[in-house]
Amino acid sequence: MVMLKLVVEKEKNRVLFAESSKDLVDILFSFLTFPIGTIIRLTNKESNLGCMDSLYKSVEGLDIQYFHTKACKAMLLSPRSDSELQYRNLVLDLININDQMKYYSCPSWACATKTHCVFSMFENSKCLCGQEMQELGHTAEDGRDRVAFVEGNCKFIITDDLHVSIMSTEARELILRRFNIIEGLLIEERLVHLGTREVLKLLKHSLVSKTPMTDVILEQGDLLTSQMVKSEPLEYLKLQIYPTQTEEKRMNLKLLIKISSNTVLYAEANEDFLDLLFSFLAFPVGSVVKLLDGFSSVGSIDNLYRSVEDLCSRSPEKFAKCKDLLLHPMVAWHHGCENQILQIKEGNLRLGRNMIKLINPKYHDTVCKRGRGFIRKPMKFMVSDELYVLPYSPNSSISFANKLGAQLNDLEERFVTVGEQQAMSILKDSLTSKTALTNVFCQKSEGVHSCLEHGNHLERFKWPRLGPTFRDIDISPSP
């Protein structure tokens, strides 16, 4: 359990701020290191995080045959974290760390420590010597230093929207002045205890709310009826001018557009675009905020990230060991994707002072080299506006359009190109909207479609006759 003292505005029954030890701050900062797929799993696929629940369910529903290996699917549904060694020192075990942090090595001690020195994150892996690996009796770096992210024992002030600062009289008074509160007359203090259940709810609300502490601790919020935080116009413009690489990767999409509403029904895409989307699930939350230059618009997460920036500059000694983990989080070992336009560095696992070699589970052979995507080639898929993915076939595409009530004379094909700027926009809108493809490719600017501004070719769509005999397709994942 974590204890904290709430300062509550009595009349409006809302949290102004909380005073806490570093235990809760460690937990909040750990949110920045969680891969998105882990968050979707922890919230039982009910995160309300834009299109991410749909993307996660798509991975669940796709047959293993579409992935390079069985492990590729597992890596997306339960992605590892580059910071998982720090999680052992959190006072609450949010992700069942003992089940998640499993490693496998050769049963021959000499081979495991001298000859080949390779490890695996997945069972049924084979060592380079040919023997099947066995689970280790302990995890890497088993000695604990009891420091998760914050060193020392100072106290912190946490606002309702998750801005964290070191506790001081000045910080307390500044918050009260912000709300025009006279201390002692309009506020009251309450001691509360948070367990794993409450902290997981806090994680869920931090993704979609600007008042997660009031929502969870005072039970004032309802995710079923709450509105997701929308991107501000200036933030969108900031994203549009994000600098691109010199030699930029690009991929092509064919969109089916409903003309009357100027919305995307679905995109026809190959395995490269699927790798782009699915690898979002392996991205740590903090890396997304960094990619989007601090403007992810994901609930209160940006405030957490800015708090770390501020605390690292003001008290560098307390964050010296974890600054990079929080501000520049990497994807876990071999969880990167060579087809991903938005490249994030992969971490490295250490055993004591030595870097260890991990088998790349994306290959059937025992290799330690990095690289490869998750999806086999050549493959073709349908991707809905909400980023639900299905294998493509003419019948399924017709049935899908029929289910949405599309009329023949109201359909149009558009061919678009996805580069770094478009990939950034898809990432941002997939976190804050249920219509990611429409937002990126059908935005209007001065009466002209944004896809035209990028020089993409448009063509009238010739669609087969839709008839009542086509059944509605079930886009729910298979049991």
Side-chain angles (χ1 to χ4, degrees):
M1 300 289 283
V2 180
M3 186 183 76
L4 65 156
K5 181 168 70 176
L6 292 183
V7 176
V8 178
E9 184 180 4
K10 292 187 287 187
E11 183 179 354
K12 295 184 178 179
N13 194 32
R14 65 177 177 183
V15 174
L16 298 177
F17 59 88
E19 297 177 3
S20 169
S21 68
K22 78 179 188 72
D23 289 342
L24 181 58
V25 173
D26 274 333
I27 291 172
L28 293 177
F29 286 167
S30 74
F31 295 173
L32 296 173
T33 69
F34 285 177
I36 291 173
T38 295
I39 292 175
I40 306 305
R41 178 177 61 82
L42 291 176
T43 56
N44 296 316
K45 294 164 284 189
E46 295 178 351
S47 70
N48 284 343
L49 189 59
C51 302
M52 289 300 171
D53 293 335
S54 296
L55 203 59
Y56 188 94
K57 292 174 185 177
S58 298
V59 176
E60 276 189 323
L62 280 180
D63 192 271
I64 292 295
Q65 65 173 317
Y66 296 103
F67 299 88
H68 282 299
T69 63
K70 183 178 179 180
C72 285
K73 183 171 181 175
M75 292 165 77
L76 295 171
L77 296 177
S78 297
R80 301 287 284 263
S81 168
D82 187 46
S83 298
E84 64 184 25
L85 297 177
Q86 272 66 35
Y87 299 163
R88 302 165 308 161
N89 296 326
L90 298 175
V91 296
L92 297 176
D93 183 1
L94 302 180
I95 64 171
N96 300 318
I97 194 65
N98 290 329
D99 293 332
Q100 293 293 308
M101 282 182 62
K102 289 183 178 180
Y103 300 92
Y104 302 83
S105 67
C106 183
S108 167
W109 181 250
C111 183
T113 58
K114 294 180 181 180
T115 308
H116 291 116
C117 304
V118 295
F119 294 79
S120 175
M121 296 178 289
F122 292 88
E123 58 184 345
N124 302 321
S125 300
K126 286 190 176 181
C127 180
L128 289 170
C129 70
Q131 295 190 77
E132 186 167 308
M133 292 186 163
Q134 297 178 356
E135 185 178 346
L136 287 171
H138 59 86
T139 58
E141 288 191 358
D142 203 37
R144 301 187 179 193
D145 57 10
R146 304 312 305 171
V147 174
F149 297 102
V150 182
E151 296 198 56
N153 294 305
C154 64
K155 300 288 185 179
F156 294 86
I157 283 182
I158 307 166
T159 62
D160 196 11
D161 58 357
L162 302 189
H163 186 275
V164 181
S165 57
I166 294 176
M167 189 166 71
S168 66
T169 302
E170 292 78 13
R172 181 185 175 105
E173 290 177 350
L174 183 64
I175 297 173
L176 293 177
R177 285 201 303 269
R178 184 174 123 196
F179 291 99
N180 295 317
I181 299 295
I182 300 175
E183 187 164 6
L185 296 178
L186 302 175
I187 65 173
E188 65 178 0
E189 297 181 348
R190 304 177 190 175
L191 286 178
V192 298
H193 292 81
L194 303 181
T196 301
R197 178 175 174 272
E198 290 78 18
V199 171
L200 287 176
K201 287 179 67 177
L202 190 59
L203 168 63
K204 187 173 180 177
H205 282 259
S206 71
L207 303 171
V208 295
S209 172
K210 293 294 187 183
T211 56
M213 298 191 77
T214 294
D215 296 345
V216 173
I217 303 175
L218 301 184
E219 299 183 345
Q220 295 294 307
D222 183 358
L223 281 180
L224 296 177
T225 58
S226 64
Q227 295 285 329
M228 286 188 296
V229 179
K230 300 297 183 181
S231 304
E232 294 295 330
L234 290 179
E235 293 178 9
Y236 183 77
L237 291 174
K238 186 180 182 71
L239 181 61
Q240 291 292 80
I241 60 173
Y242 194 89
T244 57
Q245 299 172 354
T246 304
E247 296 183 5
E248 186 182 352
K249 284 186 178 180
R250 289 188 173 275
M251 55 186 68
N252 298 318
L253 288 182
K254 183 167 71 174
L255 306 178
L256 181 62
I257 304 293
K258 187 174 182 181
I259 302 171
S260 58
S261 59
N262 193 32
T263 56
V264 176
L265 296 186
Y266 66 82
E268 289 182 28
N270 60 19
E271 68 283 346
D272 284 348
F273 189 66
L274 264 290
D275 278 335
L276 168 72
L277 294 181
F278 284 166
S279 57
F280 290 170
L281 297 173
F283 282 8
V285 172
S287 69
V288 173
V289 180
K290 181 189 174 187
L291 272 175
L292 299 175
D293 205 20
F295 293 92
S296 72
S297 299
V298 176
S300 301
I301 294 298
D302 292 343
N303 283 342
L304 277 180
Y305 190 88
R306 290 166 190 152
S307 296
V308 177
E309 288 182 315
D310 185 56
L311 289 169
C312 285
S313 64
R314 292 174 181 270
S315 305
E317 71 284 354
K318 298 183 184 300
F319 295 88
K321 293 183 179 180
C322 67
K323 177 180 177 180
D324 286 339
L325 289 177
L326 295 174
L327 295 181
H328 313 286
M330 295 185 275
V331 296
W333 329 276
H334 298 311
H335 283 57
C337 179
E338 61 188 359
N339 297 325
Q340 173 57 262
I341 295 174
L342 307 175
Q343 286 292 331
I344 298 175
K345 291 182 179 180
E346 287 186 13
N348 292 288
L349 187 65
R350 292 181 179 273
L351 184 59
R353 295 183 178 180
N354 301 317
M355 203 84 71
I356 69 173
K357 294 185 291 185
L358 282 170
I359 293 172
N360 190 337
K362 297 173 185 172
Y363 293 88
H364 289 287
D365 298 329
T366 303
V367 297
C368 297
K369 64 181 180 181
R370 296 179 186 265
R372 211 176 203 189
F374 298 99
I375 303 297
R376 291 175 52 200
K377 300 179 180 180
M379 294 287 175
K380 195 173 184 180
F381 300 88
M382 289 187 349
V383 183
S384 76
D385 201 11
E386 196 177 349
L387 302 190
Y388 199 95
V389 178
L390 290 168
Y392 177 84
S393 71
N395 284 343
S396 63
S397 62
I398 293 170
S399 298
F400 187 74
N402 191 44
K403 180 178 180 180
L404 296 178
Q407 301 297 317
L408 291 177
N409 59 358
D410 196 26
L411 297 175
E412 182 178 78
E413 272 187 353
R414 295 182 189 169
F415 294 87
V416 298
T417 301
V418 178
E420 186 184 19
Q421 179 172 302
Q422 291 78 20
M424 291 277 285
S425 297
I426 292 172
L427 172 61
K428 182 163 187 174
D429 281 289
S430 70
L431 293 166
T432 57
S433 168
K434 298 290 188 183
T435 54
L437 297 183
T438 292
N439 291 358
V440 174
F441 296 109
C442 293
Q443 291 286 340
K444 291 185 178 181
S445 177
E446 297 179 359
V448 182
H449 294 305
S450 62
C451 56
L452 282 175
E453 294 172 351
H454 293 290
N456 296 299
H457 175 64
L458 274 70
E459 175 180 303
R460 290 295 298 178
F461 184 70
K462 298 177 177 61
W463 189 254
R465 182 176 299 278
L466 303 178
T469 58
F470 290 110
R471 64 176 178 83
D472 288 345
I473 62 172
D474 181 7
I475 64 171
S476 59
S478 56

